């Protein structure tokens, strides 16, 4: 069966500090991978998605970047955090090769920028 | 373009009574539709999905949803609410872009279950 991991689970960082959130998927190959942000009282916003190693598509201009160094690893980064980067970050994976597939979500990382 | 509208931001029911969470969608394609549930500080869990097979879809934990094309609706129901059903529920439509499938989320419905 497939599992998706995210870490850390919670993170408190000062404004201006760097960020690295990691997501890994087990039990599947060549997944589509996604990063979402869920701000307090708002819905889910798609930040990045990737259909393969080194292939990143950005949905929203922002202070963040993403990388996919390995097939089942997806990293969300920032060089300098802003207060507005606070939120709940969710990684998800979906199967390739079939249209309109559902996505499977990780447990999330709660980021607080102070 | 595709979109979903969740008609209620908050729904409150008594334990043991029926649950109805409403969702309307808009899609240029024959859509795939999903309902996800999110408990506080947790990831999203797939409840059920519609992908052009049977219009009445059964999911986990006793939930079901009916796809009605004429009404562009995909409402989520459960005959009898349980305290553990208290959570936020998202209606989601799927579509394609740039080689990867994208999900468009509704704004969520917070379900409260009272004794």
């Amino acid at each position: 069966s497939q599992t998706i991991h995210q870490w850390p689970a919670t993170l408190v960082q000062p404004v201006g500090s760097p960020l690295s959130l990691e997501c890994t998927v087990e039990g599947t190959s060549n997944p589509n991978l996604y990063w979402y942000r869920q701000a307090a009282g708002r819905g889910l916003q798609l930040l990045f998605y990737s259909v393969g190693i080194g292939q990143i598509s950005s949905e929203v201009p922002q202070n963040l970047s993403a990388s996919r160094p390995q097939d089942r690893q997806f990293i969300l980064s920032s060089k300098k955090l802003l207060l507005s980067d606070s939120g709940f970050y969710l990684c998800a994976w979906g199967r390739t090769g079939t249209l309109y597939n559902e996505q499977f979500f990780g447990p999330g990382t709660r980021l607080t920028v102070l | 373009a595709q979109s979903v509208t969740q008609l209620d931001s908050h729904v409150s029911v008594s334990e043991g009574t029926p649950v109805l969470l409403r969702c309307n969608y808009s899609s240029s394609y024959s859509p795939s539709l999903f309902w996800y549930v999110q408990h506080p500080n947790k990831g999203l869990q797939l409840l059920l999905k519609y992908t052009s097979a049977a219009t009445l879809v059964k999911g986990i934990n006793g939930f079901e949803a009916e796809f009605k094309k004429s009404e562009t609706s995909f409402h989520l129901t459960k005959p009898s609410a349980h305290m553990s059903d208290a959570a936020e529920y998202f209606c989601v439509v799927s579509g394609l872009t740039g080689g990867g499938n994208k999900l468009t989320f509704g704004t969520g419905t917070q379900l409260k279950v009272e004794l």
Side-chain angles (χ1 to χ4, degrees):
Chain A
S1 64
Q2 300 86 14
T3 55
I4 178 169
H5 304 278
Q6 285 186 246
W7 65 90
T10 60
L11 191 60
V12 180
Q13 292 285 95
V15 169
S17 63
L19 173 73
S20 181
L21 303 181
E22 188 163 346
C23 170
T24 59
V25 181
E26 296 177 355
T28 188
S29 295
N30 195 30
N32 291 334
L33 295 172
Y34 307 84
W35 276 112
Y36 291 86
R37 177 170 58 205
Q38 188 176 29
R42 299 174 64 180
L44 273 76
Q45 179 186 39
L46 178 63
L47 301 176
F48 301 95
Y49 70 92
S50 172
V51 299
I53 296 173
Q55 300 179 62
I56 308 295
S57 296
S58 175
E59 288 293 299
V60 181
Q62 61 214 322
N63 186 42
L64 302 169
S65 62
S67 62
R68 184 171 177 174
Q70 299 181 47
D71 181 46
R72 289 169 290 177
Q73 184 185 29
F74 205 24
I75 297 172
L76 184 69
S77 303
S78 174
K79 293 182 179 178
K80 288 185 178 182
L81 284 168
L82 305 173
L83 286 174
S84 58
D85 291 324
S86 293
F88 193 49
Y89 288 83
L90 290 158
C91 181
W93 73 273
R95 293 185 180 90
T96 56
T98 307
L99 300 178
Y100 308 128
N101 276 323
E102 67 270 35
Q103 293 173 18
F104 302 95
F105 287 81
T109 295
R110 173 73 59 190
L111 172 65
T112 303
V113 182
L114 301 175
Chain B
Q2 57 196 31
S3 65
V4 288
T5 302
Q6 293 186 242
L7 300 169
D8 306 292
S9 59
H10 293 81
V11 170
S12 183
V13 300
S14 299
E15 190 175 33
T17 64
V19 176
L20 170 64
L21 305 183
R22 299 183 294 165
C23 173
N24 288 105
Y25 70 91
S26 173
S27 176
S28 302
Y29 308 93
S30 295
S32 286
L33 292 158
F34 312 92
W35 276 98
Y36 284 84
V37 61
Q38 185 181 30
H39 289 89
N41 292 309
K42 301 292 185 183
L44 277 72
Q45 181 184 19
L46 180 67
L47 275 179
L48 50 81
K49 67 176 181 179
Y50 166 77
T51 55
S52 76
T55 56
L56 182 62
V57 182
K58 294 188 183 298
I60 61 172
N61 300 335
F63 284 95
E64 62 182 37
E66 185 172 8
F67 174 74
K68 292 187 176 180
K69 186 175 181 179
S70 61
E71 300 177 9
T72 61
S73 69
F74 190 57
H75 302 333
L76 182 70
T77 61
K78 183 174 181 178
S80 176
H82 191 271
M83 294 297 290
S84 61
D85 295 327
E88 189 156 25
Y89 292 79
F90 292 95
C91 182
V92 182
V93 63
S94 175
L96 285 179
T97 182
N101 63 300
K102 286 181 62 177
L103 301 184
T104 300
F105 286 79
T107 51
T109 298
Q110 191 71 42
L111 176 64
K112 183 178 180 181
V113 182
E114 299 172 318
L115 287 171

